[in-house]
Amino acid sequence: MRAMLPLTLFLAKLIGLMFLVFSLLMAKNKRAMLAAIDELVRSRGLMLIGGSFNLAAGLAIVLGHNVWSGGMLTVVVTLIGWLVTLRGFVWLFTPQEKLVQYYEALNFEQKYYVATAITGALGLYLSMAGFVG
């Protein structure tokens, strides 16, 4: 069996724990989280800040860990880096009214617990794989 890259393990732990925390936060208070997400999408300033952080975090992962072989964990970490980079670009360059239209069409409230479960499951997978190595 091939040894896992130390950066893969570090990023899996970091992203995994963050996803676990967010899934717990989402499960704890749906109403407050939906209100925060709605406020985020409707505020150009918050989207600028959020998009900048997403772009920086995503690019950091992509620049340091653009690895598409070596097992599922390695590919998942790289894919998350690319998706976060893409989200940063979308949040920064999509006109505000289009972001609001997309958010409203998504009807996120009905899919909220599915999103919470996916976030939690992915966080659990990444954390366990990262810490077990």
Side-chain angles (χ1 to χ4, degrees), residues 51-104:
S52 297
F53 278 111
N54 274 273
L55 183 59
L59 285 173
I61 295 169
V62 167
L63 292 173
H65 192 279
N66 193 25
V67 184
W68 292 98
S69 62
M72 186 168 145
L73 181 62
T74 304
V75 173
V76 168
V77 168
T78 298
L79 185 59
I80 289 171
W82 278 104
L83 291 173
V84 172
T85 301
L86 178 62
R87 181 170 60 188
F89 271 106
V90 168
W91 285 11
L92 289 172
F93 292 103
T94 303
Q96 189 67 30
E97 60 276 0
K98 292 292 182 194
L99 290 170
V100 171
Q101 286 173 358
Y102 175 73
Y103 171 69
E104 289 174 349

Side-chain angles (χ1 to χ4, degrees), residues 17-27 33 112 116 119-120:
L17 291 172
M18 292 235 358
F19 280 16
L20 282 175
V21 168
F22 274 97
S23 68
L24 291 172
L25 185 61
M26 290 170 74
M33 287 299 292
Y112 183 83
T116 302
T119 303

